[in-house]
PDB file of all heavy atoms in Angstrom:
ATOM      1  N   GLY A   3       0.818  -1.207   0.000  1.00 96.00           N
ATOM      2  CA  GLY A   3       0.000   0.000   0.000  1.00 96.00           C
ATOM      3  C   GLY A   3       0.852   1.257   0.000  1.00 96.00           C
ATOM      4  O   GLY A   3       0.566   2.224  -0.717  1.00 96.00           O
ATOM      5  N   MET A   4       1.914   1.242   0.800  1.00 97.00           N
ATOM      6  CA  MET A   4       2.815   2.404   0.831  1.00 97.00           C
ATOM      7  C   MET A   4       3.640   2.502  -0.447  1.00 97.00           C
ATOM      8  O   MET A   4       3.847   3.594  -0.984  1.00 97.00           O
ATOM      9  CB  MET A   4       3.718   2.315   2.061  1.00 97.00           C
ATOM     10  CG  MET A   4       2.982   2.575   3.361  1.00 97.00           C
ATOM     11  SD  MET A   4       4.070   2.621   4.803  1.00 97.00           S
ATOM     12  CE  MET A   4       4.620   0.917   4.867  1.00 97.00           C
ATOM     13  N   ALA A   5       4.116   1.356  -0.942  1.00 97.00           N
ATOM     14  CA  ALA A   5       4.926   1.368  -2.164  1.00 97.00           C
ATOM     15  C   ALA A   5       4.111   1.828  -3.368  1.00 97.00           C
ATOM     16  O   ALA A   5       4.645   2.462  -4.285  1.00 97.00           O
ATOM     17  CB  ALA A   5       5.507  -0.016  -2.425  1.00 97.00           C
ATOM     18  N   ALA A   6       2.807   1.524  -3.368  1.00 98.00           N
ATOM     19  CA  ALA A   6       1.943   1.934  -4.482  1.00 98.00           C
ATOM     20  C   ALA A   6       1.542   3.397  -4.397  1.00 98.00           C
ATOM     21  O   ALA A   6       1.138   3.994  -5.401  1.00 98.00           O
ATOM     22  CB  ALA A   6       0.693   1.056  -4.512  1.00 98.00           C
ATOM     23  N   SER A   7       1.643   3.988  -3.216  1.00 98.00           N
ATOM     24  CA  SER A   7       1.118   5.344  -3.029  1.00 98.00           C
ATOM     25  C   SER A   7       2.173   6.413  -2.798  1.00 98.00           C
ATOM     26  O   SER A   7       2.120   7.501  -3.397  1.00 98.00           O
ATOM     27  CB  SER A   7       0.139   5.364  -1.847  1.00 98.00           C
ATOM     28  OG  SER A   7       0.775   4.975  -0.640  1.00 98.00           O
ATOM     29  N   LEU A   8       3.128   6.160  -1.924  1.00 98.00           N
ATOM     30  CA  LEU A   8       4.027   7.228  -1.476  1.00 98.00           C
ATOM     31  C   LEU A   8       4.919   7.815  -2.583  1.00 98.00           C
ATOM     32  O   LEU A   8       5.147   9.034  -2.594  1.00 98.00           O
ATOM     33  CB  LEU A   8       4.870   6.741  -0.297  1.00 98.00           C
ATOM     34  CG  LEU A   8       4.065   6.583   1.005  1.00 98.00           C
ATOM     35  CD1 LEU A   8       4.884   5.875   2.082  1.00 98.00           C
ATOM     36  CD2 LEU A   8       3.587   7.946   1.523  1.00 98.00           C
ATOM     37  N   PRO A   9       5.422   7.022  -3.542  1.00 98.00           N
ATOM     38  CA  PRO A   9       6.190   7.660  -4.633  1.00 98.00           C
ATOM     39  C   PRO A   9       5.328   8.620  -5.449  1.00 98.00           C
ATOM     40  O   PRO A   9       5.810   9.674  -5.882  1.00 98.00           O
ATOM     41  CB  PRO A   9       6.651   6.477  -5.490  1.00 98.00           C
ATOM     42  CG  PRO A   9       6.514   5.274  -4.628  1.00 98.00           C
ATOM     43  CD  PRO A   9       5.375   5.558  -3.700  1.00 98.00           C
ATOM     44  N   ILE A  10       4.057   8.245  -5.645  1.00 98.00           N
ATOM     45  CA  ILE A  10       3.143   9.086  -6.416  1.00 98.00           C
ATOM     46  C   ILE A  10       2.786  10.345  -5.625  1.00 98.00           C
ATOM     47  O   ILE A  10       2.758  11.455  -6.170  1.00 98.00           O
ATOM     48  CB  ILE A  10       1.864   8.300  -6.768  1.00 98.00           C
ATOM     49  CG1 ILE A  10       2.209   7.025  -7.546  1.00 98.00           C
ATOM     50  CG2 ILE A  10       0.887   9.165  -7.544  1.00 98.00           C
ATOM     51  CD1 ILE A  10       3.001   7.244  -8.805  1.00 98.00           C
ATOM     52  N   ILE A  11       2.519  10.178  -4.336  1.00 98.00           N
ATOM     53  CA  ILE A  11       2.204  11.324  -3.477  1.00 98.00           C
ATOM     54  C   ILE A  11       3.359  12.315  -3.469  1.00 98.00           C
ATOM     55  O   ILE A  11       3.166  13.526  -3.652  1.00 98.00           O
ATOM     56  CB  ILE A  11       1.870  10.844  -2.049  1.00 98.00           C
ATOM     57  CG1 ILE A  11       0.529  10.106  -2.037  1.00 98.00           C
ATOM     58  CG2 ILE A  11       1.849  12.016  -1.071  1.00 98.00           C
ATOM     59  CD1 ILE A  11       0.241   9.347  -0.761  1.00 98.00           C
ATOM     60  N   LYS A  12       4.564  11.822  -3.257  1.00 98.00           N
ATOM     61  CA  LYS A  12       5.746  12.697  -3.214  1.00 98.00           C
ATOM     62  C   LYS A  12       5.958  13.395  -4.551  1.00 98.00           C
ATOM     63  O   LYS A  12       6.263  14.597  -4.597  1.00 98.00           O
ATOM     64  CB  LYS A  12       6.981  11.872  -2.833  1.00 98.00           C
ATOM     65  CG  LYS A  12       8.245  12.698  -2.590  1.00 98.00           C
ATOM     66  CD  LYS A  12       8.084  13.644  -1.413  1.00 98.00           C
ATOM     67  CE  LYS A  12       9.393  14.360  -1.089  1.00 98.00           C
ATOM     68  NZ  LYS A  12       9.185  15.456  -0.125  1.00 98.00           N
ATOM     69  N   TYR A  13       5.775  12.664  -5.631  1.00 98.00           N
ATOM     70  CA  TYR A  13       5.922  13.228  -6.970  1.00 98.00           C
ATOM     71  C   TYR A  13       4.933  14.367  -7.182  1.00 98.00           C
ATOM     72  O   TYR A  13       5.303  15.463  -7.630  1.00 98.00           O
ATOM     73  CB  TYR A  13       5.711  12.129  -8.006  1.00 98.00           C
ATOM     74  CG  TYR A  13       5.922  12.563  -9.434  1.00 98.00           C
ATOM     75  CD1 TYR A  13       7.153  12.408 -10.061  1.00 98.00           C
ATOM     76  CD2 TYR A  13       4.890  13.141 -10.174  1.00 98.00           C
ATOM     77  CE1 TYR A  13       7.352  12.804 -11.367  1.00 98.00           C
ATOM     78  CE2 TYR A  13       5.079  13.547 -11.483  1.00 98.00           C
ATOM     79  CZ  TYR A  13       6.308  13.372 -12.076  1.00 98.00           C
ATOM     80  OH  TYR A  13       6.500  13.777 -13.379  1.00 98.00           O
ATOM     81  N   CYS A  14       3.674  14.130  -6.845  1.00 98.00           N
ATOM     82  CA  CYS A  14       2.628  15.133  -7.068  1.00 98.00           C
ATOM     83  C   CYS A  14       2.832  16.364  -6.190  1.00 98.00           C
ATOM     84  O   CYS A  14       2.643  17.498  -6.647  1.00 98.00           O
ATOM     85  CB  CYS A  14       1.251  14.520  -6.821  1.00 98.00           C
ATOM     86  SG  CYS A  14       0.750  13.322  -8.079  1.00 98.00           S
ATOM     87  N   VAL A  15       3.217  16.152  -4.940  1.00 98.00           N
ATOM     88  CA  VAL A  15       3.464  17.277  -4.040  1.00 98.00           C
ATOM     89  C   VAL A  15       4.654  18.101  -4.533  1.00 98.00           C
ATOM     90  O   VAL A  15       4.590  19.340  -4.623  1.00 98.00           O
ATOM     91  CB  VAL A  15       3.699  16.782  -2.594  1.00 98.00           C
ATOM     92  CG1 VAL A  15       4.198  17.912  -1.709  1.00 98.00           C
ATOM     93  CG2 VAL A  15       2.409  16.193  -2.027  1.00 98.00           C
ATOM     94  N   ASP A  16       5.744  17.442  -4.864  1.00 97.00           N
ATOM     95  CA  ASP A  16       6.956  18.151  -5.288  1.00 97.00           C
ATOM     96  C   ASP A  16       6.762  18.873  -6.618  1.00 97.00           C
ATOM     97  O   ASP A  16       7.342  19.946  -6.847  1.00 97.00           O
ATOM     98  CB  ASP A  16       8.129  17.177  -5.409  1.00 97.00           C
ATOM     99  CG  ASP A  16       8.654  16.717  -4.063  1.00 97.00           C
ATOM    100  OD1 ASP A  16       8.136  17.181  -3.030  1.00 97.00           O
ATOM    101  OD2 ASP A  16       9.591  15.895  -4.047  1.00 97.00           O
ATOM    102  N   GLN A  17       5.961  18.276  -7.502  1.00 97.00           N
ATOM    103  CA  GLN A  17       5.759  18.866  -8.825  1.00 97.00           C
ATOM    104  C   GLN A  17       4.600  19.859  -8.857  1.00 97.00           C
ATOM    105  O   GLN A  17       4.295  20.434  -9.907  1.00 97.00           O
ATOM    106  CB  GLN A  17       5.510  17.754  -9.859  1.00 97.00           C
ATOM    107  CG  GLN A  17       6.646  16.767 -10.021  1.00 97.00           C
ATOM    108  CD  GLN A  17       7.929  17.418 -10.483  1.00 97.00           C
ATOM    109  OE1 GLN A  17       7.911  18.293 -11.338  1.00 97.00           O
ATOM    110  NE2 GLN A  17       9.060  16.991  -9.917  1.00 97.00           N
ATOM    111  N   GLY A  18       3.950  20.062  -7.701  1.00 97.00           N
ATOM    112  CA  GLY A  18       2.862  21.032  -7.624  1.00 97.00           C
ATOM    113  C   GLY A  18       1.610  20.611  -8.349  1.00 97.00           C
ATOM    114  O   GLY A  18       0.813  21.462  -8.790  1.00 97.00           O
ATOM    115  N   LEU A  19       1.396  19.314  -8.485  1.00 97.00           N
ATOM    116  CA  LEU A  19       0.186  18.818  -9.140  1.00 97.00           C
ATOM    117  C   LEU A  19      -0.974  18.807  -8.146  1.00 97.00           C
ATOM    118  O   LEU A  19      -0.788  18.651  -6.946  1.00 97.00           O
ATOM    119  CB  LEU A  19       0.419  17.414  -9.690  1.00 97.00           C
ATOM    120  CG  LEU A  19       1.601  17.266 -10.662  1.00 97.00           C
ATOM    121  CD1 LEU A  19       1.724  15.834 -11.123  1.00 97.00           C
ATOM    122  CD2 LEU A  19       1.464  18.212 -11.851  1.00 97.00           C
ATOM    123  N   GLY A  20      -2.171  18.942  -8.633  1.00 95.00           N
ATOM    124  CA  GLY A  20      -3.337  19.012  -7.763  1.00 95.00           C
ATOM    125  C   GLY A  20      -3.785  17.653  -7.263  1.00 95.00           C
ATOM    126  O   GLY A  20      -3.295  16.600  -7.694  1.00 95.00           O
ATOM    127  N   LYS A  21      -4.771  17.683  -6.350  1.00 97.00           N
ATOM    128  CA  LYS A  21      -5.285  16.455  -5.759  1.00 97.00           C
ATOM    129  C   LYS A  21      -5.933  15.553  -6.809  1.00 97.00           C
ATOM    130  O   LYS A  21      -5.799  14.332  -6.748  1.00 97.00           O
ATOM    131  CB  LYS A  21      -6.318  16.785  -4.669  1.00 97.00           C
ATOM    132  CG  LYS A  21      -5.706  17.276  -3.353  1.00 97.00           C
ATOM    133  CD  LYS A  21      -5.061  16.153  -2.582  1.00 97.00           C
ATOM    134  CE  LYS A  21      -4.507  16.599  -1.238  1.00 97.00           C
ATOM    135  NZ  LYS A  21      -5.526  16.803  -0.204  1.00 97.00           N
ATOM    136  N   GLU A  22      -6.638  16.128  -7.774  1.00 98.00           N
ATOM    137  CA  GLU A  22      -7.306  15.271  -8.762  1.00 98.00           C
ATOM    138  C   GLU A  22      -6.296  14.459  -9.560  1.00 98.00           C
ATOM    139  O   GLU A  22      -6.480  13.252  -9.763  1.00 98.00           O
ATOM    140  CB  GLU A  22      -8.177  16.097  -9.714  1.00 98.00           C
ATOM    141  CG  GLU A  22      -8.871  15.210 -10.747  1.00 98.00           C
ATOM    142  CD  GLU A  22      -9.930  15.918 -11.574  1.00 98.00           C
ATOM    143  OE1 GLU A  22     -10.409  16.995 -11.166  1.00 98.00           O
ATOM    144  OE2 GLU A  22     -10.296  15.364 -12.630  1.00 98.00           O
ATOM    145  N   ALA A  23      -5.224  15.095 -10.004  1.00 98.00           N
ATOM    146  CA  ALA A  23      -4.179  14.364 -10.733  1.00 98.00           C
ATOM    147  C   ALA A  23      -3.592  13.266  -9.863  1.00 98.00           C
ATOM    148  O   ALA A  23      -3.339  12.139 -10.324  1.00 98.00           O
ATOM    149  CB  ALA A  23      -3.088  15.327 -11.185  1.00 98.00           C
ATOM    150  N   MET A  24      -3.380  13.576  -8.575  1.00 98.00           N
ATOM    151  CA  MET A  24      -2.822  12.591  -7.657  1.00 98.00           C
ATOM    152  C   MET A  24      -3.772  11.416  -7.467  1.00 98.00           C
ATOM    153  O   MET A  24      -3.356  10.252  -7.513  1.00 98.00           O
ATOM    154  CB  MET A  24      -2.515  13.234  -6.306  1.00 98.00           C
ATOM    155  CG  MET A  24      -1.890  12.277  -5.301  1.00 98.00           C
ATOM    156  SD  MET A  24      -1.438  13.090  -3.758  1.00 98.00           S
ATOM    157  CE  MET A  24      -3.058  13.436  -3.079  1.00 98.00           C
ATOM    158  N   TYR A  25      -5.074  11.696  -7.251  1.00 98.00           N
ATOM    159  CA  TYR A  25      -6.048  10.621  -7.037  1.00 98.00           C
ATOM    160  C   TYR A  25      -6.104   9.700  -8.260  1.00 98.00           C
ATOM    161  O   TYR A  25      -6.170   8.470  -8.124  1.00 98.00           O
ATOM    162  CB  TYR A  25      -7.443  11.186  -6.781  1.00 98.00           C
ATOM    163  CG  TYR A  25      -7.608  12.000  -5.518  1.00 98.00           C
ATOM    164  CD1 TYR A  25      -8.606  12.977  -5.439  1.00 98.00           C
ATOM    165  CD2 TYR A  25      -6.786  11.818  -4.414  1.00 98.00           C
ATOM    166  CE1 TYR A  25      -8.777  13.744  -4.286  1.00 98.00           C
ATOM    167  CE2 TYR A  25      -6.945  12.588  -3.258  1.00 98.00           C
ATOM    168  CZ  TYR A  25      -7.951  13.547  -3.204  1.00 98.00           C
ATOM    169  OH  TYR A  25      -8.121  14.295  -2.072  1.00 98.00           O
ATOM    170  N   ARG A  26      -6.104  10.289  -9.446  1.00 98.00           N
ATOM    171  CA  ARG A  26      -6.196   9.457 -10.666  1.00 98.00           C
ATOM    172  C   ARG A  26      -4.946   8.598 -10.837  1.00 98.00           C
ATOM    173  O   ARG A  26      -5.028   7.423 -11.223  1.00 98.00           O
ATOM    174  CB  ARG A  26      -6.425  10.343 -11.892  1.00 98.00           C
ATOM    175  CG  ARG A  26      -7.795  11.036 -11.886  1.00 98.00           C
ATOM    176  CD  ARG A  26      -8.099  11.749 -13.203  1.00 98.00           C
ATOM    177  NE  ARG A  26      -9.341  12.511 -13.095  1.00 98.00           N
ATOM    178  CZ  ARG A  26     -10.577  11.990 -13.214  1.00 98.00           C
ATOM    179  NH1 ARG A  26     -10.707  10.695 -13.455  1.00 98.00           N
ATOM    180  NH2 ARG A  26     -11.637  12.754 -13.106  1.00 98.00           N
ATOM    181  N   ALA A  27      -3.788   9.159 -10.537  1.00 98.00           N
ATOM    182  CA  ALA A  27      -2.554   8.373 -10.626  1.00 98.00           C
ATOM    183  C   ALA A  27      -2.509   7.298  -9.553  1.00 98.00           C
ATOM    184  O   ALA A  27      -2.031   6.170  -9.798  1.00 98.00           O
ATOM    185  CB  ALA A  27      -1.342   9.296 -10.503  1.00 98.00           C
ATOM    186  N   LEU A  28      -3.015   7.600  -8.354  1.00 98.00           N
ATOM    187  CA  LEU A  28      -3.083   6.588  -7.296  1.00 98.00           C
ATOM    188  C   LEU A  28      -4.019   5.462  -7.686  1.00 98.00           C
ATOM    189  O   LEU A  28      -3.780   4.296  -7.355  1.00 98.00           O
ATOM    190  CB  LEU A  28      -3.526   7.231  -5.980  1.00 98.00           C
ATOM    191  CG  LEU A  28      -2.488   8.101  -5.275  1.00 98.00           C
ATOM    192  CD1 LEU A  28      -3.121   8.836  -4.094  1.00 98.00           C
ATOM    193  CD2 LEU A  28      -1.286   7.284  -4.808  1.00 98.00           C
ATOM    194  N   PHE A  29      -5.089   5.788  -8.398  1.00 98.00           N
ATOM    195  CA  PHE A  29      -5.992   4.749  -8.903  1.00 98.00           C
ATOM    196  C   PHE A  29      -5.241   3.815  -9.844  1.00 98.00           C
ATOM    197  O   PHE A  29      -5.338   2.588  -9.733  1.00 98.00           O
ATOM    198  CB  PHE A  29      -7.179   5.408  -9.616  1.00 98.00           C
ATOM    199  CG  PHE A  29      -8.182   4.425 -10.167  1.00 98.00           C
ATOM    200  CD1 PHE A  29      -9.221   3.962  -9.376  1.00 98.00           C
ATOM    201  CD2 PHE A  29      -8.087   3.968 -11.472  1.00 98.00           C
ATOM    202  CE1 PHE A  29     -10.152   3.050  -9.877  1.00 98.00           C
ATOM    203  CE2 PHE A  29      -8.995   3.058 -11.980  1.00 98.00           C
ATOM    204  CZ  PHE A  29     -10.037   2.600 -11.182  1.00 98.00           C
ATOM    205  N   VAL A  30      -4.475   4.393 -10.778  1.00 98.00           N
ATOM    206  CA  VAL A  30      -3.679   3.569 -11.698  1.00 98.00           C
ATOM    207  C   VAL A  30      -2.722   2.675 -10.916  1.00 98.00           C
ATOM    208  O   VAL A  30      -2.625   1.457 -11.161  1.00 98.00           O
ATOM    209  CB  VAL A  30      -2.876   4.466 -12.674  1.00 98.00           C
ATOM    210  CG1 VAL A  30      -1.892   3.608 -13.492  1.00 98.00           C
ATOM    211  CG2 VAL A  30      -3.807   5.215 -13.609  1.00 98.00           C
ATOM    212  N   SER A  31      -2.029   3.267  -9.959  1.00 98.00           N
ATOM    213  CA  SER A  31      -1.013   2.540  -9.219  1.00 98.00           C
ATOM    214  C   SER A  31      -1.605   1.409  -8.381  1.00 98.00           C
ATOM    215  O   SER A  31      -1.138   0.261  -8.426  1.00 98.00           O
ATOM    216  CB  SER A  31      -0.236   3.509  -8.329  1.00 98.00           C
ATOM    217  OG  SER A  31       0.833   2.855  -7.696  1.00 98.00           O
TER     218      SER A  31
END
């Protein structure tokens, strides 16, 4: 669960992407 989520969360936060982009990428992951 952490391996599928935390790299994406960190990427989205660091790159200034919004929550919607993050949620959709987390769905893929």
Side-chain angles (χ1 to χ4, degrees):
M4 288 185 293
S7 61
L8 288 170
I10 303 304
I11 290 168
K12 187 63 174 169
Y13 184 94
C14 290
V15 170
D16 287 358
Q17 299 299 319
L19 304 180
K21 284 286 183 76
E22 180 170 342
M24 182 176 70
Y25 295 154
R26 293 189 186 279
L28 287 172
F29 181 88
V30 172
S31 186

